[in-house]
Amino acid sequence: MFELGVLTIIGLAGLSVVWFTLNVGISPMPSSAKARRAILAASEVAGEGAIIELGSGWGTLLFALARKYPHRRVIGYELSWLPWLYTYLYKFTFRLHHVEIYRQNFLTAELSSASLLVCYLFPEGMNDLQQKLAGVHGANRYLISSTFALPAYSPVQTTRLNDLYNTPVYIYQLG
Ligand SMILES: C[S@@+](CC[C@H](N)C(=O)[O-])C[C@H]1O[C@@H](n2cnc3c(N)ncnc32)[C@H](O)[C@@H]1O
């Protein structure tokens, strides 16, 4: 009976990841170690202020940013329940008081407080983000996007990873 309960919970958790992947349009696949290193290096472009990760997945990048910037607010938005729950528990376990994690669509979130936005999304998600950014104001803000570009913006810098696809990491200055 106990085993059945555990199996049911594992099955439902797995199904929830599949359900969100199909509905959101992207799985919670983490950035590669190379992408993470490139994003961490690129993040130095934005001096101070809060950092927001748009779709923080399992927190691999979020917590790498939190370790690099222990004195800045590091905020993650994630829709998928299981990755969100995992990052939420991780934050409490390791007492990362400067990290905030919300199970929320970042398209409905307040983004103007951040000096740096970071994402690894998908083409349709980048279109939606572009529309959202048109209504977000603030000076000296940057967006770092792994793999996918903002269609109507020109990056101030593009780094190509030394991987199979020469994956691009774009840096945009938003205003
Ligand atoms: C490819 S994963 C990247 C995860 C993490 N950023 C990383 O680099 O390791 C993209 C994540 O964005 C989340 N996501 C996509 N659109 C979202 C939205 N509008 N609001 C919140 N999360 C979103 C997905 O659920 C998924 O977990």
Side-chain angles (χ1 to χ4, degrees):
M1 198 64 196
F2 174 75
E3 287 88 344
L4 188 64
V6 172
L7 281 177
T8 306
I9 289 171
I10 292 173
L12 288 175
L15 276 180
S16 98
V17 172
V18 173
W19 192 89
F20 278 104
T21 297
L22 296 176
N23 280 277
V24 174
I26 182 84
S27 74
M29 182 172 60
S31 295
S32 68
K34 281 180 183 170
R36 224 160 44 235
R37 278 197 293 276
I39 294 168
L40 287 177
S43 68
E44 290 170 13
V45 73
E48 285 302 317
I51 299 171
I52 296 183
E53 186 175 6
L54 309 166
S56 47
W58 299 101
T60 332
L61 180 56
L62 186 80
F63 294 123
L65 285 163
R67 277 192 295 278
K68 185 173 170 83
Y69 298 109
H71 303 298
R72 290 168 72 170
R73 283 174 72 205
V74 179
I75 302 157
Y77 289 98
E78 175 54 54
L79 274 173
S80 188
W81 268 99
L82 193 62
W84 167 81
L85 182 62
Y86 173 81
T87 49
Y88 194 78
L89 294 176
Y90 187 103
K91 167 201 150 59
F92 274 100
T93 306
F94 294 98
R95 296 166 189 263
L96 300 171
H97 301 300
H98 64 304
V99 176
E100 295 164 38
I101 293 163
Y102 300 101
R103 207 199 70 78
Q104 185 184 335
N105 188 332
F106 61 73
L107 296 171
T108 64
E110 169 58 57
L111 304 180
S112 351
S113 62
S115 61
L116 177 63
L117 305 173
V118 176
C119 66
Y120 169 28
L121 294 169
F122 58 107
E124 207 183 311
M126 294 306 286
N127 286 332
D128 294 343
L129 174 60
Q130 185 166 275
Q131 282 180 27
K132 164 85 179 167
L133 290 176
V136 178
H137 304 289
N140 288 325
R141 289 180 313 106
Y142 290 87
L143 166 74
I144 301 173
S145 175
S146 174
T147 313
F148 299 103
L150 279 176
Y153 286 60
S154 297
V156 288
Q157 191 185 314
T158 304
T159 305
R160 295 252 164 207
L161 302 185
N162 181 20
D163 63 8
L164 194 60
Y165 306 103
N166 280 146
T167 304
V169 172
Y170 302 100
I171 305 181
Y172 297 95
Q173 185 159 17
L174 300 174

